[in-house]
Amino acid sequence: MTYSIQALAKLAGVSPRTLRYYDQIGLLPADRDPHNGYRMYPAAAVDRLQLIRYFQLFGFTLTQIQSLLAQSPAAQTAALQEQRTHLVKQRDQLTALLTTLDRTLAARNGGHPMTDSEKFAAFKQDQLTANAQKFGAEVRQRYGDTTFTASQAKFANLSAADYQRMQATEQQLFDALRDVCHSGDLTSPVAQHIYALHRDWLCFTWNNYSIAAHRGLAQLYQSDGRFAQYYNDHVGSPQATSFLVAAILQATEG
């Protein structure tokens, strides 16, 4: 079936202006009616627009989408499959959160009380999923699949008390970093304590801590903007990660 620009826009939930733009940049080229020059879209264009809409929902830019659509059908299918895997993880994450929330509401309304471990299980799983999606590839590449998987498993099996201690340690780290960001003094006792706090926080999930691995992680923080953003956002300073890296490297010299 062939669609006019108006018909396809209505079908896909986009504006005719958007389709004209896609045609102009070569993202979704249109055929031309030989009698009047109007844009026409055959079945292949409909399939292509479906892919465009999918990849937009997944957060790809138009440039990235154009690059994907230039690849083989097998590569496009693989990209869709990868996004499906992410969606399944997000669904499972939401299901776990809803289950925990329902049990919490039931307990607050006089139902069966939750154990301390159950109260925090969904939060741990939520953090595991988010970390794996955002940082998993880089950490696997640097430390290997075995180390990454073991770390995830150790975190998942933390007791409620250890999980709370881990969260408290990280908050102390944020507070110390905030103080150093204000003072700018890496020689202060607070700055020197930053390394110890970060080391202690890591040891909640690392099975085998080493100074070399800690320094390597600091260098990864320095080179990857996503890691930097995590600390900068939580501390509220664009210098937070730089001070953290400096404190780690300074404390582990020699």
Side-chain angles (χ1 to χ4, degrees):
M1 184 173 179
T2 299
Y3 290 87
S4 68
I5 190 171
Q6 296 290 341
L8 182 59
K10 183 177 181 180
L11 177 70
V14 298
S15 68
R17 181 179 180 182
T18 295
L19 294 182
R20 284 193 289 270
Y21 177 67
Y22 290 172
D23 186 14
Q24 291 169 7
I25 65 175
L27 181 62
L28 185 68
D31 292 341
R32 294 285 180 167
D33 188 311
H35 302 294
N36 54 29
Y38 290 168
R39 290 179 174 85
M40 302 297 294
Y41 294 89
V46 177
D47 291 342
R48 187 177 175 93
L49 181 57
Q50 183 197 29
L51 287 178
I52 293 170
R53 296 286 283 155
Y54 264 133
F55 288 127
Q56 283 179 316
L57 285 174
F58 299 145
F60 289 83
T61 66
L62 292 183
T63 300
Q64 291 171 325
I65 294 172
Q66 203 150 17
S67 177
L68 277 168
L69 294 180
Q71 297 179 25
S72 67
Q76 295 169 13
T77 300
L80 288 173
Q81 184 62 52
E82 182 180 356
Q83 293 305 314
R84 186 186 187 282
T85 300
H86 290 326
L87 287 174
V88 169
K89 289 180 179 178
Q90 290 173 4
R91 180 199 64 194
D92 293 344
Q93 178 183 353
L94 288 172
T95 298
L97 287 171
L98 282 170
T99 299
T100 302
L101 180 57
D102 287 343
R103 293 199 61 188
T104 300
L105 290 170
R108 291 176 67 87
N109 288 320
H112 186 72
M114 301 173 71
T115 67
D116 288 342
S117 295
E118 289 171 336
K119 291 174 183 177
F120 293 98
F123 299 112
K124 289 195 291 183
Q125 187 56 51
D126 179 56
Q127 192 168 338
L128 277 172
T129 302
N131 288 344
Q133 290 178 350
K134 194 169 185 179
F135 308 120
E138 290 74 13
V139 176
R140 286 178 188 275
Q141 183 177 8
R142 181 175 288 265
Y143 298 107
D145 288 343
T146 301
T147 300
F148 177 78
T149 302
S151 176
Q152 294 283 87
K154 187 174 181 180
F155 179 79
N157 292 320
L158 285 176
S159 67
D162 281 341
Y163 177 74
Q164 292 178 52
R165 280 195 290 269
M166 182 182 181
Q167 299 300 103
T169 300
E170 187 176 41
Q171 187 57 56
Q172 291 173 39
L173 174 63
F174 294 152
D175 293 341
L177 279 170
R178 194 171 294 111
D179 289 343
V180 172
C181 286
H182 288 156
S183 70
D185 184 5
L186 276 170
T187 64
S188 68
V190 173
Q192 294 169 18
H193 192 43
I194 285 173
Y195 158 74
L197 286 169
H198 194 257
R199 179 200 59 207
D200 293 347
W201 178 74
L202 289 175
C203 286
F204 281 101
T205 56
W206 282 20
N207 291 296
N208 298 294
Y209 173 86
S210 73
I211 287 177
H214 199 169
R215 289 178 67 87
L217 184 62
Q219 291 162 359
L220 183 59
Y221 286 174
Q222 201 167 33
S223 62
D224 192 312
R226 290 169 302 170
F227 288 93
Q229 184 180 4
Y230 178 81
Y231 287 99
N232 292 348
D233 287 351
H234 279 81
V235 174
S237 169
Q239 297 178 299
T241 304
S242 296
F243 278 117
L244 172 60
V245 170
I248 294 169
L249 296 180
Q250 179 176 282
T252 57
E253 284 179 343

